[in-house]
Amino acid sequence: MLVFEYRLKVRMKKNIAYEECAEKIGHFIDSALCKDKEYLEFHRKTGYKWYTFDLPAPIEPGKVYQVSKTYYFRIRTVLQNLAEYFSRSLIYHITDEMVGLTGELRIIPKKPLEKLFSLTPLIQLTDHGYWRDHLSLEEFENQIKVNLIKKYNMLNQCRIEDESFHLYRGIVFKNKKPVKVKYKNITLLGDKIEIMAETNPMAQELLYLSIGCGMGAHNSRGAGFMGYKYLD
């Protein structure tokens, strides 16, 4: 398993508020997928999409991306063919909000990880809304692990037999109140977290996977995009 990262430079065609940008980028990517018959079916199919993205940089002081200015954002995936499709299709792709300019595709090295931190809010879904109102911290942490195990098993067409390993040594919440994420006509609530990685092989494998396709839910809408730091 390898993680591919595509860094795309875009020019804004409109002013876009920071809190609306994930939805606009999601539309930008979706509309590129829909130009190809194979990826149109991929887009329409339910289930994991195996990619995620962050928000454009640099962030403007007023948190409004400016018309005619250029920014870059990153798309990550664990599917090589999808990464290559992005590298072909997003250059010069145009929506009402932005136009693709240039891009660079690379592989993120697979090296021992010290910690990961969410650069976009991590969203943990429950049947009744924001997790803090319905789950304990232990249940929340377990859901993170279970979600990554499901992704790993599906991606690799296998089953992890022993799930008793620890995924990380500690977790820190960086937000004092829930972080709002606009999604279609609703607002989801997420968290900014930092986790200290365990060194066992399975934990390292799952955390590397999370760099490639996100942690938590709604990754193809830009949620759970993870930054990382290697062990020295």
Side-chain angles (χ1 to χ4, degrees):
M1 178 182 64
L2 294 174
V3 171
F4 300 87
E5 179 180 275
Y6 185 58
R7 187 179 188 270
L8 180 68
K9 186 177 182 180
V10 296
R11 184 177 69 250
M12 296 302 180
K13 296 175 65 182
K14 295 180 178 179
N15 289 348
I16 303 176
Y18 178 83
E19 61 269 17
E20 297 176 349
C21 206
E23 188 173 8
K24 303 303 183 185
I25 292 176
H27 172 67
F28 181 82
I29 295 171
D30 291 347
S31 60
L33 290 171
C34 291
K35 291 166 63 176
D36 179 272
K37 182 178 179 181
E38 177 185 351
Y39 285 106
L40 173 61
E41 292 303 312
F42 170 82
H43 169 65
R44 288 176 172 172
K45 188 168 62 176
T46 58
Y48 299 129
K49 299 301 183 185
W50 307 113
Y51 71 88
T52 189
F53 59 84
D54 65 354
L55 295 179
I59 299 174
E60 297 286 354
K63 291 196 172 182
V64 176
Y65 296 104
Q66 300 295 308
V67 63
S68 297
K69 291 189 68 172
T70 59
Y71 305 89
Y72 74 89
F73 65 89
R74 295 168 292 181
I75 308 171
R76 294 190 189 141
T77 180
V78 289
L79 303 180
Q80 182 173 347
N81 59 345
L82 182 59
E84 291 172 350
Y85 180 77
F86 285 146
S87 70
R88 296 192 306 269
S89 65
L90 294 181
I91 295 177
Y92 307 126
H93 181 59
I94 300 173
T95 62
D96 289 341
E97 292 81 23
M98 63 188 76
V99 54
L101 299 177
T102 60
E104 181 180 0
L105 181 62
R106 75 180 186 110
I107 295 173
I108 293 180
K110 195 173 188 179
K111 301 192 294 186
L113 295 160
E114 178 185 351
K115 64 180 179 180
L116 283 82
F117 41 92
S118 51
L119 295 175
T120 61
L122 183 148
I123 295 174
Q124 195 64 274
L125 296 179
T126 73
D127 294 333
H128 307 286
Y130 184 51
W131 72 270
R132 285 184 186 271
D133 298 326
H134 309 283
L135 300 177
S136 66
L137 177 58
E138 183 178 357
E139 290 171 324
F140 171 81
E141 292 181 294
N142 185 61
Q143 281 197 7
I144 291 175
K145 179 180 175 181
V146 168
N147 176 266
L148 287 174
I149 288 174
K150 286 180 179 179
K151 289 174 179 173
Y152 183 88
N153 288 343
M154 185 173 293
L155 178 66
N156 294 284
Q157 296 295 297
C158 69
R159 179 177 178 82
I160 297 174
E161 297 296 338
D162 183 4
E163 299 182 4
S164 63
F165 63 91
H166 292 290
L167 185 64
Y168 46 83
R169 294 179 285 107
I171 182 170
V172 177
F173 288 85
K174 296 296 186 178
N175 53 298
K176 294 183 179 179
K177 58 182 181 179
V179 182
K180 295 180 179 180
V181 179
K182 289 190 176 182
Y183 176 66
K184 295 183 178 180
N185 296 319
I186 61 174
T187 298
L188 300 172
L189 299 177
D191 296 276
K192 291 289 192 74
I193 67 168
E194 179 176 291
I195 59 177
M196 301 296 110
E198 280 284 8
T199 58
N200 69 76
M202 199 69 250
Q204 288 285 316
E205 189 79 359
L206 292 183
L207 293 174
Y208 182 68
L209 171 66
S210 77
I211 294 172
C213 59
M215 189 175 286
H218 287 296
N219 306 130
S220 63
R221 301 300 90 189
F225 186 95
M226 305 303 291
Y228 57 92
K229 181 182 178 183
Y230 294 122
L231 282 168
D232 293 333

